[in-house]
Structure formats: C-alpha cells, structure tokens
Amino acid sequence: MAKKAKKAKKKVKKVAKKKAKKKVAKKKAKRKPNPQFMKPMTPSDKLAAVVGSKPIPRTEVVKKVWNYIKKNKLQDSVNKRMINADANLKAVFGGKAKVSMFEMTKLINKHLS
C-alpha cells in the first residue's frame, strides 16, 4: 500500500510541474502585415465604380467591396460563400453573375495596378 501511495504522489507532482511549465510559455509577437498588401494601388475604372478612384491598399479594397456587397445585399441567402453580382460587380467579375468569395479576391486583384 505504501508503494502505491508514493507512486500516486509522484504522479501528482509531475502533473503539477507540467501545468506550471505551460503557464510560463512565451507570448507570441504580433504579426506584421506584409508591406506589399499595404502598398496603395490604383483601381481600374470598373473597380473604381465600387470602391472609388483613389489609390488604396489591397486590404482596404477588399473591405470596401465587402461593404458594398453587404449594403446592397448581394451575398447569396442560401450559400453565404457565393456573391450575386449586380451591374457594377459583374464588370469587375469578368461578366460572371455568381462568384465564390475566394474567387472574388482573385478577380479583384486583376483590376489593381
């Protein structure tokens, strides 16, 4: 019986040490954005109808497009990953009426220079 009690105490101490080590873990540094994403880019005439004609970073372009989509309720009600294009977005999407949100960013990048 005494041996079992000693083993149990040792096991409890090991678990306590592991928990103490986890608390001391180093904090991760914040990620810095890639400078290429923050570089102001000029939108094409077709994209300018949606986001404006001023040079802005890619990240802001995508935010503005999403704001436009939500404001005009262009997100598909059944499948939220799909965007139903109106006349302005159809020009940006290369004539496609429906585009996935992942394909959207690829199509938007073609209109930035």
Side-chain angles (χ1 to χ4, degrees), residues 32-73:
K32 294 180 183 174
N34 186 334
Q36 288 300 320
F37 283 120
M38 303 314 290
K39 179 181 165 189
M41 302 190 81
T42 308
S44 69
D45 294 336
K46 293 174 184 177
L47 186 58
V50 178
V51 297
S53 59
K54 289 183 183 177
I56 52 176
R58 278 183 207 189
T59 53
E60 290 298 316
V61 171
V62 173
K63 280 182 188 178
K64 286 188 177 196
V65 170
W66 269 110
N67 288 339
Y68 180 84
I69 290 167
K70 289 179 181 177
K71 184 178 112 184
N72 294 312
K73 298 178 182 167

Side-chain angles (χ1 to χ4, degrees), residues 1-18:
M1 275 283 226
K3 287 183 182 180
K4 285 184 181 179
K6 284 183 182 179
K7 282 185 181 180
K9 282 184 182 179
K10 284 184 181 180
K11 199 171 192 178
V12 169
K13 284 182 182 179
K14 283 183 183 179
V15 171
K17 282 183 183 179
K18 283 184 183 179

Side-chain angles (χ1 to χ4, degrees), residues 65-92:
V65 170
W66 269 110
N67 288 339
Y68 180 84
I69 290 167
K70 289 179 181 177
K71 184 178 112 184
N72 294 312
K73 298 178 182 167
L74 299 174
Q75 201 169 4
D76 193 54
S77 59
V78 177
N79 186 355
K80 299 282 187 185
R81 289 180 287 177
M82 299 302 284
I83 289 108
N84 301 320
D86 64 352
N88 289 335
L89 284 179
K90 209 172 209 179
V92 174

